[in-house]
Structures are given as structure tokens and as C-alpha cells.
């Protein structure tokens, strides 16, 4: 990454008639480089992301506590496997009596010896013996510092706490990297031909690029598509700003929760029916 940035700066050195006095000046020079096609727009976005993560705090990108998918310490092996198979995540906080008591991190791959009936594990399943240490970080930690800590410790997940030690959410290395490179397709993302997919008992996963007409037909809504083409556009106009992951808004009797977004656009929504009086 560093060598690539050096190459870009070298190519665009003729644009720097004066040394930029601040970060905004540097970004201005980089954007001129993109306009002159010295670097492409994707590279510019990545460089901007690298420069900006030092200004972003964990609280701005973390998954809120209410959305944390956890494993309880007293769950049986079948119950744990059910959670893993349903969510297809690779890491899970393991809690005690509540989400304020995180005992460790469970890696799904550590369950492999116990997930096949033809393979006999050497020991009886004991969740406590396979837990990995949990890393607790404050909400105020900068993303550039956190990324370095992830690299040093080789952890991919950290639990976020507030000033009183209460757990407020979690953050992964993927969340940090997405601030640099944009959206990374993962287990939440639907296939291109599945714009709307059932999720849970009453919810749906909806790609933000779903045409408004398709959304209206599926959910029996009447959103106007004269100004925007996609449901993501409808939601962003309703917010009045580019929402972050975890933000919620209620429109036309449906709750829209942002599941995936970066600093450029919305990618994925969770849509659930709500009573109209809640709007």
C-alpha cells in the first residue's frame, strides 16, 4: 500500500507547484491528479480513505450492541451450530448472563471437529476450552490505530466499550478496511439476481440497487420513482444524508435498517413491516 501511494505521488509531482500546507490541500492535488487521469477514481477513493481513517472513530462504524449476534455460554453444541449455520459468520462473541459479559470469541472453524458425525473429537465438547481471548477497545479509538492493533495482534474482531465499561458494540477488521476500499461482499450480501431475500420471520434483505418499481411491487408500497431509480436512493433522500450502518428510518409502514454502507453509498438494507403510527 505504501509503495503504491509513493508511485502515485511521484507521477503527480508536477501538480504540486507548492507543498500542500494541510490535508485538504493534499486532497485537492490528488483530485486534480484524478481529473488529469494520472490516477483513476478508485485509486483516489482508496487514498482518501487512507488519509481519512485517522479522523474516524470506532463509534462511527461499529455494529451496535443491539445487532450483535452472540453465542451464550450455556448453549449446547447443536444450538451453537444452528447459530453458525443460520448466520454464516466466522466469529461470535460468547456471552455470560448478558451482552455486558463477553467471555471470549468463538471461531466457527474451531467447531469443525464436532460438526461431523463420522469424526469423533478427541475430547467431549467444552465451549470454554476453545474460546479465543477477547479484545476490548474504547469507542473513541481512531481507526488507523485500531488497524495497526489488528495487524499486530492478528485479531479480526474487537468488542467496543463506553467510558463506563459497558459494551456498546463490536467492530471487525473488515469494517475498518471498508473505510479504505469501499464495500466488501460478505455473508450478508445477496446474489445479483436476488434483489430481495427473506430474512428471519418478518424481515427481508434488500439490495439498495433494487429498482423502486420492483420494491413497490414486492412490498405493496407506492414510493415515487420520478426523482430516484433505486430504493437506496429513496432511503437516502428520506434520511437527508448518507446514513451509516445501523441507522434506522421508518417509511410507508416499513422499517429500513442500514446493513451495509460506506462513505459513498448504501449497499444493503434490512426491511421489516412496522405499524404506520410508528412512522
Amino acid at each position: 500500500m505504501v509503495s503504491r501511494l509513493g508511485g502515485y505521488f511521484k507521477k503527480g509531482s508536477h501538480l504540486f507547484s507548492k507543498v500542500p500546507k494541510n490535508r485538504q490541500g493534499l486532497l485537492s492535488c490528488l483530485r486534480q491528479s484524478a481529473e488529469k487521469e494520472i490516477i483513476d477514481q478508485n485509486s483516489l477513493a482508496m487514498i482518501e480513505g487512507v488519509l481519512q481513517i485517522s479522523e474516524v472513530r470506532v463509534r462511527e462504524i461499529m455494529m451496535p450492541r443491539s445487532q450483535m449476534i452472540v453465542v451464550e455460554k450455556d448453549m449446547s453444541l447443536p444450538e451453537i451450530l444452528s447459530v453458525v449455520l443460520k448466520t454464516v459468520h466466522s466469529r461470535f462473541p460468547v456471552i455470560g448472563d448478558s451482552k455486558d459479559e463477553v467471555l471470549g470469541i468463538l471461531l466457527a472453524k474451531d467447531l469443525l471437529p464436532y460438526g461431523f458425525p463420522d469424526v469423533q473429537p478427541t475430547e467431549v465438547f467444552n465451549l470454554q476450552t476453545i474460546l479465543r481471548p477477547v479484545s476490548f477497545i474504547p469507542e473513541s479509538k481512531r481507526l488507523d490505530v485500531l488497524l495497526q492493533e489488528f495487524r499486530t495482534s492478528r485479531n479480526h474482531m474487537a468488542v467496543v466499550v463506553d467510558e463506563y465499561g459497558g459494551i456498546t458494540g463490536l467492530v471487525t477488521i473488515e469494517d475498518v478496511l471498508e473505510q479504505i476500499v469501499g464495500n466488501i461482499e460478505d455473508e450478508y450480501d445477496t446474489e445479483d439476481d436476488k434483489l430481495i431475500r427473506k430474512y428471519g420471520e418478518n424481515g427481508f434483505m434488500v439490495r439498495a440497487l433494487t429498482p423502486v418499481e420492483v420494491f413497490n411491487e414486492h412490498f405493496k408500497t407506492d414510493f415515487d420513482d420520478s426523482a430516484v431509480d433505486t430504493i437506496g436512493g429513496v432511503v437516502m433522500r428520506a434520511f437527508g444524508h448518507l446514513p451509516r450502518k445501523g441507522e434506522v428510518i421508518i417509511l410507508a409502514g416499513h422499517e429500513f435498517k442500514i446493513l451495509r454502507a460506506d462513505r459513498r453509498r448504501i449497499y444493503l438494507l434490512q426491511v421489516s413491516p412496522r405499524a404506520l403510527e410508528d412512522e
Side-chain angles (χ1 to χ4, degrees):
M1 177 72 75
V2 174
S3 61
R4 181 180 295 180
L5 291 176
Y8 288 144
F9 292 145
K10 184 176 180 181
K11 289 181 180 179
S13 59
H14 66 281
L15 294 172
F16 294 80
S17 56
K18 294 182 179 180
V19 176
K21 296 182 179 180
N22 51 43
R23 180 170 299 183
Q24 193 56 43
L26 176 59
L27 287 172
S28 177
C29 291
L30 290 170
R31 288 163 185 161
Q32 291 180 46
S33 298
E35 292 174 1
K36 295 179 179 296
E37 299 184 349
I38 296 174
I39 60 176
D40 59 50
Q41 290 296 328
N42 286 334
S43 299
L44 173 62
M46 289 178 62
I47 297 171
E48 288 181 331
V50 170
L51 294 174
Q52 291 171 0
I53 62 170
S54 63
E55 300 176 348
V56 180
R57 306 289 174 166
V58 167
R59 67 170 66 91
E60 299 178 50
I61 70 162
M62 70 179 186
M63 175 180 289
R65 167 191 168 122
S66 61
Q67 297 179 34
M68 288 170 51
I69 297 176
V70 300
V71 168
E72 298 176 11
K73 67 175 182 179
D74 297 326
M75 280 184 170
S76 65
L77 177 59
E79 289 174 328
I80 295 173
L81 290 175
S82 176
V83 174
V84 173
L85 293 174
K86 181 179 179 180
T87 62
V88 204
H89 290 179
S90 59
R91 291 171 173 80
F92 301 85
V94 176
I95 66 170
D97 296 330
S98 72
K99 288 184 177 179
D100 279 319
E101 184 185 4
V102 177
L103 306 175
I105 302 297
L106 171 66
L107 272 58
K109 68 178 182 179
D110 290 338
L111 297 173
L112 287 176
Y114 305 95
F116 301 94
D118 296 333
V119 178
Q120 295 295 328
T122 57
E123 299 179 1
V124 176
F125 174 72
N126 184 341
L127 180 59
Q128 299 294 330
T129 63
I130 61 175
L131 290 186
R132 307 295 181 98
V134 58
S135 174
F136 295 98
I137 61 171
E139 294 177 317
S140 58
K141 185 177 288 290
R142 299 200 321 258
L143 295 193
D144 57 337
V145 177
L146 176 60
L147 182 58
Q148 183 59 44
E149 290 181 0
F150 275 145
R151 293 179 59 190
T152 302
S153 66
R154 298 185 180 180
N155 289 332
H156 286 202
M157 175 182 286
V159 174
V160 186
V161 297
D162 61 20
E163 59 183 312
Y164 304 106
I167 291 174
T168 57
L170 63 81
V171 64
T172 68
I173 191 171
E174 178 183 313
D175 295 325
V176 180
L177 292 176
E178 283 186 341
Q179 301 303 307
I180 300 174
V181 302
N183 182 60
I184 300 174
E185 296 292 324
D186 67 4
E187 65 274 7
Y188 278 128
D189 296 304
T190 59
E191 299 174 5
D192 290 343
D193 60 343
K194 294 182 179 179
L195 297 173
I196 301 172
R197 187 178 70 179
K198 191 78 168 63
Y199 180 71
E201 294 184 3
N202 299 313
F204 292 85
M205 303 259 268
V206 180
R207 293 180 69 90
L209 292 177
T210 301
V212 175
E213 181 181 358
V214 173
F215 185 92
N216 283 337
E217 182 178 354
H218 188 279
F219 291 94
K220 310 304 180 187
T221 51
D222 190 29
F223 289 116
D224 183 12
D225 62 355
S226 61
V228 294
D229 298 323
T230 68
I231 191 61
V234 170
V235 172
M236 188 160 64
R237 284 172 64 90
F239 270 108
H241 64 272
L242 183 59
R244 297 192 179 102
K245 182 171 71 173
E247 290 195 64
V248 174
I249 193 170
I250 300 175
L251 302 171
H254 292 78
E255 178 184 278
F256 292 79
K257 178 182 292 184
I258 308 301
L259 288 184
R260 183 68 67 197
D262 60 23
R263 62 185 180 277
R264 294 185 285 273
R265 64 188 178 98
I266 304 170
Y267 292 92
L268 193 66
L269 302 161
Q270 179 179 321
V271 181
S272 307
R274 289 286 297 272
L276 286 175
E277 57 266 25
D278 291 339
E279 187 167 347

